[in-house]
Amino acid sequence: MSETKKFMYLNRRAPYGTIYALEGLEVVLIGAAFEQDVSMAFMDDGVFQLTKGQDTSDSDMKNFSPTYNALGDYEVNKIYVEQESMDDRGLTLDDLQHLVWEDEDEDYAKKPSIRVVSRQVMADLLEEQDVILNY
Amino acid sequence: MKFSIQVNEGPYTHQASDTAYNFTRAALEGGHEIYRVFFYHDGVNNGTRMTTPPQDDRNIVNRWSELSKEYDLDLVLCVAAAQRRGIVDEDEAKRHGKSGDNVAEGFRISGLGQLIDAGINSDRLISFGD
């Protein structure tokens, strides 16, 4: 293992209804130990994964949304959300959890992890990756 | 080229495992290397030896086992995904007090790190599923 690869975890499905989002997040947490250049991307119904105020008590599904808050501690701090996917679903940045990471080079200043990007920029980001894991 | 394969869907319901198998076989016959085949989500159901399809249909599980034997393929079932879905090897069965194990020949159970490792050490990681 000589060089660092660019890994992107691409999330395109709603958080509940199927297990893909939950098991996809488990890969990100395990993968963090490998010290690669990691980013996450959310598009299509995947943008719902990051919404705040999720309540699963009526469906008896496990509400795993608090786990996204831990991503900063795992040094997963490039989280791209596609603007068009949010627009199509009537979501704005205010509807999403405020995810932050601590920048050790700037006295652990808390910085936002989520970057809203256009579909064109998202396409460019996908093009740059070595490995894309799609859940 | 050195490939790794990820299979994200179970057998029969979905064609993902068939297509992954055909790709893997073609790559090996074409002289390429398969570093690892990693089974995730319902894909872990490709690794239970209890699978008993009708005799006039393909046996997807046995097909993987035979390919593994022929080419010394590394077939890995994700442990967390496997536990959720009742796929256990001898050690896991003992640890969790289960009365039997069901992992098919040629498969092994291991962690998600094996998937990341496959991404790092292969030229291409190819996923089969939705």
Side-chain angles (χ1 to χ4, degrees), chain B residues 21-43:
Chain B
Y21 171 82
N22 288 330
F23 180 92
T24 303
R25 180 166 201 94
L28 290 165
E29 287 171 352
H32 297 287
E33 182 186 343
I34 301 290
Y35 180 76
R36 179 168 297 135
V37 184
F38 191 87
F39 296 85
Y40 198 41
H41 303 306
D42 277 357

Side-chain angles (χ1 to χ4, degrees), chain B:
Chain B
M1 192 173 269
K2 197 196 286 187
F3 293 104
S4 279
I5 307 297
Q6 185 183 14
V7 181
N8 288 330
E9 299 294 341
Y12 301 104
T13 303
H14 202 292
Q15 198 185 316
S17 180
D18 293 275
T19 314
Y21 171 82
N22 288 330
F23 180 92
T24 303
R25 180 166 201 94
L28 290 165
E29 287 171 352
H32 297 287
E33 182 186 343
I34 301 290
Y35 180 76
R36 179 168 297 135
V37 184
F38 191 87
F39 296 85
Y40 198 41
H41 303 306
D42 277 357
V44 297
N45 290 305
N46 288 288
T48 165
R49 65 167 186 269
M50 300 301 175
T51 303
T52 317
Q55 290 197 344
D56 61 353
D57 200 353
R58 69 220 187 281
N59 188 318
I60 293 177
V61 177
N62 288 356
R63 223 168 41 178
W64 279 116
S65 292
E66 286 156 16
L67 195 65
S68 166
K69 203 170 192 177
E70 192 178 344
Y71 288 96
D72 196 23
L73 257 187
D74 190 19
L75 305 179
V76 177
L77 307 173
C78 168
V79 61
Q83 283 180 356
R84 282 196 180 102
R85 293 164 178 87
I87 313 292
V88 286
D89 62 12
E90 217 180 318
D91 288 346
E92 292 294 313
K94 208 171 284 175
R95 189 180 352 233
H96 298 286
K98 304 293 181 186
S99 59
D101 62 273
N102 58 352
V103 170
E105 197 181 338
F107 290 84
R108 66 187 177 96
I109 289 183
S110 189
L112 277 168
Q114 299 282 301
L115 173 63
I116 307 299
D117 171 76
I120 293 169
N121 289 301
S122 308
D123 299 313
R124 295 280 188 282
L125 172 61
I126 305 181
S127 300
F128 292 86
D130 274 341

Side-chain angles (χ1 to χ4, degrees), chain A residues 31-77:
Chain A
F34 286 77
E35 298 186 346
Q36 302 295 301
D37 181 0
V38 170
S39 61
M40 293 180 82
F42 294 84
M43 61 172 83
D44 303 335
D45 279 348
V47 296
F48 285 119
Q49 292 181 29
L50 296 176
T51 54
K52 59 188 174 194
Q54 293 179 26
D55 179 0
T56 59
S57 50
D58 285 343
S59 64
D60 205 26
M61 305 292 285
K62 176 175 167 181
N63 181 355
F64 61 96
S65 62
T67 312
Y68 293 101
N69 280 305
L71 289 168
D73 298 334
Y74 285 81
E75 294 180 32
V76 178
N77 51 34

Side-chain angles (χ1 to χ4, degrees), chain A residues 4-127:
Chain A
T4 300
K5 283 192 175 180
K6 288 174 85 75
F7 274 68
M8 178 177 268
Y9 300 96
L10 179 56
N11 301 276
R12 309 185 68 158
R13 293 176 172 99
Y16 309 101
T18 66
I19 201 170
Y20 297 105
L22 187 157
E23 286 192 329
L25 188 54
E26 288 180 352
V27 181
V28 179
L29 299 178
I30 298 289
F34 286 77
E35 298 186 346
Q36 302 295 301
D37 181 0
V38 170
S39 61
M40 293 180 82
F42 294 84
M43 61 172 83
D44 303 335
D45 279 348
V47 296
F48 285 119
Q49 292 181 29
L50 296 176
T51 54
K52 59 188 174 194
Q54 293 179 26
D55 179 0
T56 59
S57 50
D58 285 343
S59 64
D60 205 26
M61 305 292 285
K62 176 175 167 181
N63 181 355
F64 61 96
S65 62
T67 312
Y68 293 101
N69 280 305
L71 289 168
D73 298 334
Y74 285 81
E75 294 180 32
V76 178
N77 51 34
K78 287 181 285 195
I79 300 180
Y80 302 102
V81 181
E82 193 190 74
Q83 181 74 62
E84 286 86 340
S85 295
M86 287 213 294
D87 293 345
D88 289 346
R89 290 160 183 81
L91 295 174
T92 68
L93 191 56
D94 285 341
D95 295 308
L96 306 185
Q97 296 192 62
H98 184 59
L99 303 182
V100 296
W101 62 286
E102 293 181 350
D103 189 346
E104 16 176 283
D105 296 333
E106 288 185 30
D107 198 23
Y108 297 93
K110 285 193 162 96
K111 298 185 173 180
S113 303
I114 292 180
R115 306 173 202 188
V116 178
V117 298
S118 68
R119 187 160 288 171
Q120 182 56 54
V121 170
M122 189 66 93
D124 295 342
L125 288 165
L126 289 167
E127 187 67 33

